Amino acid sequence: MLNFDIVLAGTVNGLAAGAIYVLVAVGLTLIYGVLHIINFAHGSLLMLAMYAVFFLFTRARIDPYLALPLVVAGSFALGYVLYRFLIGRFAHGKDENILLITLGLSIILDNLALFFFTGDTQTIDVPHASGIVEIGPAFLPKAKVIAFFAALGLCAALGAYIGRSDMGKAIRAVARERQGARLVGIDVEHVFAVSYGIGIACLGAAACLLMPSFYVSPSSGHAFVLIAFTTVVLGGMGSFLGALLGGFVIGITESLGGLFLGEQLGQIGISLIFILILLLRPTGLFGGGR
Amino acid sequence: MNARRIVAVFGAALVAAFALPFVLPSNYAVNVAAMILFTAFLGQSWNIAGGFAGQTSFGHVVFFGTGAYASTILQVAWGWNPWLGWIAAALAGGVVGLAIGALAFRAGLRGSYFALVTLAFAEVFRILANSAEFTRGGLGILIPSDPRAANLQFKDPVWFYWIALALLALSLAVAAWLKRSRFGAQLAAIRENEDAARALGIDVFRAKTICLGISGAMAAAGGTFYAQKYLYVDPSIAYGVEKSVEMLLVSMIGGAGTVFGPLVGAAVLGGVGEITRSFAAGQGLSLVVYGAILVAIVAWLPDGLIGVFARRGGARRGRDA
């Protein structure tokens, strides 16, 4: 039967997965907090970044961890351009409209991936990241341990950037009071695009950390999008700290759900949390209102 | 156009649509036409909530799948006649619609939040269907083939064409009623400005919930049609996100909140599908085109394709199309 050690092992496993969800969710919550738009293409853009990591490894033999700066920079550029030329033009009307536009974008990306990369799942085998690490009662793939620490490190770096740098200051100013920010001479459209770019850059980093221990297929985006939204809603839309906590809660829920309810039914926990939070406490655990 | 002329035009179109299979060259063409009509019907079910009342749903399969499973299980495990099961399925879809509506609208979910919660409900239903005993999990349920009209099974695809046509005609009648009735006007007021509608004394919660119930019953009826046509249902067919997206797409592309929008959208999507299929195998490319059309429609043509024709007919008529 289940004993304490197995539950503990499941928890550790969930924490490791949760760190990646934090990284994905931080990007989503930043975009929401600054732009007040819900980026439904978030999962699909993650899928795209994962394919980028996959092809950099298989075609150019670039190690996924060394590819991180490259993929992050590429993701940032893609996000910036997407915002400037597509999303930003329509971002400030009804909120369903931007949801529908990003849905359209995700349909386009998912099916382009299906067309060019086929529906097969792809994995990469990174020798120096394979192997098992023993942590208490849990046995974790080395790649997941690396991902855990790297994800937290990147979140801390991002937090410091938003907190300390001039651009970070501008982002916070725009998030709080965009009209006022405009009046003191901040280029608001540029800040919006940078924020969206940073949000997508988080996905690029997540993709590099995920690929050594995960797989990618054109439907990967869909698998992640509900997880990302649940994480963000749980912590409170727009809350940085909330995304951090939400990510770990979701990771553990998923891991323990699988343990107690089995592979199939275990996935239900995430959707149920999502529904319950929206119905009972839509501002999330840390959100200050919508 | 006055009411009598609309009825006359509508009746003539119905007769023409009824006779269409006799001039179509092959069973394949009849099938394509049947699926366009059926998709238009499903789109209309989405449109009742998403277009007329402005409650954008990302998880309308929750009703579609419930209908497909309800009639199939009643038939296979309980020995019900599928015609009777069809009615039960529509009722089940209506109840699910009322329940989700009551929960979501009581919690005050609007706009994107409502869309996301419907997506999550659909996911919950999919996972449940995937793991429950009475749905036979991921194996799905096979309906034993016995093609007789009493069994709602037909050898000749033309019958499904006619049934799809009847469903569509019924849904158009519901939509036309919404355009003209007091209830429809309430929904339009809610769509345009919910707070103002409430200030006018409209019971917003009740109107939205009933609307989702009607929409759910229609989508569930569509689920039964689908199950009877393919004699099979499984969790990813019944509750897969693709069908939700398809319903939303045809309605948005044709023109959300218009009577004929979903039909126009379904015809365009059906046409695009046939064209891209002749270029390249696989579904991928046609959906890329659909996604691009959706972006373009939301960005530049908020009234959908039908809005383009309506605008030509004079801006005054606008959404009356």
Side-chain angles (χ1 to χ4, degrees):
Chain A
M1 263 317 282
L2 290 168
N3 61 29
F4 186 67
D5 272 1
I6 295 182
V7 174
L8 204 64
T11 309
V12 172
N13 232 311
L15 280 173
I20 298 285
Y21 299 159
V22 170
L23 202 51
V24 174
V26 158
L28 191 62
T29 211
L30 177 75
I31 291 172
Y32 181 83
V34 180
L35 297 156
H36 303 290
I37 63 172
I38 293 189
N39 184 35
F40 199 77
H42 214 63
S44 301
L45 288 165
L46 174 65
M47 177 271 299
L48 207 61
M50 286 165 81
Y51 270 110
V53 176
F54 171 76
F55 284 116
L56 282 173
F57 184 77
T58 49
R59 298 281 159 84
R61 309 305 301 171
I62 299 179
D63 183 286
Y65 298 111
L66 295 179
L68 198 136
L70 197 68
V71 178
V72 166
S75 303
F76 176 84
L78 176 67
Y80 191 94
V81 168
L82 264 182
Y83 183 84
R84 268 276 146 117
F85 293 102
L86 180 69
I87 292 166
R89 301 197 169 184
F90 315 110
H92 306 300
K94 272 173 116 178
D95 73 327
E96 295 103 299
N97 284 355
I98 197 69
L99 189 70
L100 287 169
I101 289 199
T102 50
L103 168 73
L105 186 61
S106 80
I107 296 172
I108 295 171
L109 293 177
D110 289 359
N111 289 289
L112 277 177
L114 188 62
F115 185 72
F116 285 109
F117 309 147
T118 77
D120 302 341
T121 52
Q122 309 280 9
T123 55
I124 56 174
D125 188 20
V126 186
H128 68 84
S130 61
I132 301 288
V133 181
E134 198 182 331
I135 302 167
F139 296 92
L140 281 182
K142 197 169 158 193
K144 281 197 175 176
V145 180
I146 299 174
F148 177 84
F149 289 107
L152 287 190
L154 286 168
C155 285
L158 180 61
Y161 176 74
I162 303 276
R164 302 273 165 80
S165 71
D166 283 347
M167 185 39 109
K169 223 179 260 175
I171 288 175
R172 281 181 293 135
V174 170
R176 186 154 301 179
E177 178 54 61
R178 61 179 66 168
Q179 205 54 43
R182 205 185 302 272
L183 289 175
V184 297
I186 295 174
D187 181 353
V188 174
E189 282 305 308
H190 176 67
V191 171
F192 279 156
V194 168
S195 304
Y196 195 84
I198 293 176
I200 307 309
C202 291
L203 296 178
C208 294
L209 300 177
L210 264 174
M211 270 317 277
S213 63
F214 209 71
Y215 60 87
V216 60
S217 78
S219 57
S220 292
H222 180 66
F224 273 97
V225 83
L226 202 60
I227 292 178
F229 276 116
T230 309
T231 305
V232 167
V233 165
L234 181 65
M237 288 299 254
S239 161
F240 215 79
L241 196 67
L244 195 69
L245 196 82
F248 289 124
V249 172
I250 295 302
I252 293 171
T253 305
E254 188 185 41
S255 168
L256 293 186
L259 202 60
F260 286 110
L261 300 174
E263 189 87 25
Q264 296 288 354
L265 196 57
Q267 304 162 4
I268 209 168
I270 292 173
S271 309
L272 278 183
I273 288 183
F274 185 73
I275 291 172
L276 288 177
I277 287 282
L278 277 187
L279 293 185
L280 301 177
R281 194 178 157 73
T283 51
L285 300 176
F286 289 88
R290 282 186 277 164
Chain B
M1 270 199 272
N2 61 36
R4 196 173 296 164
R5 254 187 80 194
I6 290 177
V7 171
V9 170
F10 188 68
L14 204 62
V15 171
F18 179 81
L20 180 70
F22 297 115
V23 296
L24 285 174
S26 64
N27 271 350
Y28 176 77
V30 173
N31 243 325
V32 170
M35 286 326 275
I36 287 177
L37 297 184
F38 176 65
T39 308
F41 165 73
L42 277 185
Q44 192 67 271
S45 83
W46 186 93
N47 191 33
I48 299 295
F52 285 98
Q55 305 302 310
T56 308
S57 153
F58 272 22
H60 239 57
V61 275
V62 75
F63 312 121
F64 173 84
T66 300
Y69 269 115
S71 62
T72 304
I73 290 170
L74 285 173
Q75 187 183 167
V76 174
W78 297 73
W80 281 40
N81 178 286
W83 290 91
L84 212 59
W86 202 359
I87 296 169
L91 287 176
V95 169
V96 173
L98 291 175
I100 292 179
L103 285 171
F105 298 136
R106 185 60 80 198
L109 297 181
R110 293 186 193 181
S112 305
Y113 288 87
F114 176 73
L116 291 174
V117 90
T118 55
L119 178 70
F121 270 114
E123 192 64 7
V124 166
F125 275 58
R126 186 187 67 77
I127 295 167
L128 286 177
N130 218 345
S131 16
E133 195 70 39
F134 67 96
T135 55
R136 296 178 40 83
L139 284 175
I141 306 176
L142 218 60
I143 300 172
S145 168
D146 182 8
R148 278 185 295 140
N151 277 345
L152 194 45
Q153 294 182 23
F154 305 96
K155 267 214 179 81
D156 191 342
V158 77
W159 287 99
F160 280 110
Y161 173 89
W162 282 326
I163 292 178
L165 180 63
L167 284 175
L168 176 65
L170 200 68
S171 75
L172 288 174
V174 172
W177 167 70
L178 281 180
K179 264 281 173 252
R180 291 169 171 271
S181 68
R182 191 179 169 79
F183 182 62
Q186 292 182 343
L187 294 182
I190 291 169
R191 174 189 65 211
E192 297 304 330
N193 188 334
E194 193 171 318
D195 299 316
R198 185 173 293 116
L200 285 173
I202 296 171
D203 188 342
V204 170
F205 171 76
R206 183 170 166 274
K208 287 201 294 188
T209 307
I210 291 175
C211 173
L212 198 62
I214 297 173
S215 174
M218 287 168 63
T224 299
F225 174 93
Y226 202 83
Q228 290 300 126
K229 187 165 193 311
Y230 295 102
L231 297 179
Y232 177 67
V233 55
D234 76 12
S236 59
I237 292 173
Y239 294 117
V241 74
E242 294 82 6
K243 264 263 160 331
S244 286
V245 168
E246 188 183 76
M247 290 184 226
L248 176 154
L249 277 178
V250 294
S251 189
M252 286 298 305
I253 288 175
T258 65
V259 175
F260 291 101
L263 179 57
V264 172
V268 168
L269 289 204
V272 170
E274 290 306 307
I275 293 167
T276 51
R277 198 164 306 156
S278 63
F279 279 122
Q283 258 251 299
L285 268 193
S286 62
L287 281 166
V288 172
V289 177
Y290 299 169
I293 296 178
L294 175 66
V295 171
I297 290 282
V298 177
W300 293 293
L301 299 171
D303 293 330
L305 290 178
I306 220 168
V308 181
F309 302 115
R311 219 169 294 164
R312 276 206 186 150
R316 192 169 40 84
R317 283 217 301 273
R319 277 183 178 248
D320 282 352

